[in-house]
């Protein structure tokens, strides 16, 4: 189960692009590091980071896209998971919870409206 918890101590450092989420019963850090972003450039056949950011900002992500983004973010945060692991994880809030977490991770990485709401 992936979701946010009000009881989280706040280990994530937003200045480093980190997001924290409860996955099952475990708190995990997600971060799109340079290596994670390179992985996503390859997965989405993007020529550069600007192209990747433009694709994400279009707001038309498939479920498979969100799985790839969250998987890369989990790996960038030091979690040993595969895309297949993330694909079978139960998501708190269903697809809306998955979309919120993906959006929060992208906003922490590329900047956006959520950054100003969470200093």
């Amino acid at each position: 189960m992936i979701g946010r918890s009000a009881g989280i101590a706040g280990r994530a450092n937003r200045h480093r692009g980190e997001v924290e989420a409860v996955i099952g019963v475990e708190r995990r850090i997600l971060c799109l590091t340079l290596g994670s972003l390179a992985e996503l450039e390859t997965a989405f056949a993007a020529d550069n980071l600007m192209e990747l950011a433009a694709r994400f900002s279009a707001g038309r992500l498939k479920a498979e896209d969100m799985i790839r983004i969250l998987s890369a973010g989990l790996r960038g945060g030091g979690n040993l998971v595969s895309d297949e692991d993330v694909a079978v994880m139960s998501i708190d809030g269903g697809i809306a919870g998955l979309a919120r977490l993906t959006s929060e991770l992208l906003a922490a990485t590329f900047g956006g409206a959520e950054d100003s709401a969470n200093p």
Side-chain angles (χ1 to χ4, degrees), residues 57-103:
S57 68
R60 291 178 291 188
L61 298 176
K62 300 184 297 186
E64 181 181 14
D65 298 342
M66 290 187 275
I67 290 167
R68 284 182 175 163
I69 293 164
L70 292 178
S71 298
L74 282 163
R75 287 190 291 275
N79 301 277
L80 300 176
V81 297
S82 68
D83 289 1
E84 292 79 17
D85 294 333
V86 174
V88 298
M89 289 179 178
S90 174
I91 313 279
D92 189 26
I95 192 68
L98 175 65
R100 272 191 304 277
L101 183 55
T102 303
S103 176

Side-chain angles (χ1 to χ4, degrees), residues 1-25:
M1 170 169 48
I2 296 177
R4 296 179 60 173
S5 170
I8 291 177
R11 299 180 304 154
N13 182 342
R14 292 293 286 205
H15 296 289
R16 290 181 36 189
E18 296 175 347
V19 171
E20 190 166 11
V22 175
I23 302 174
V25 295

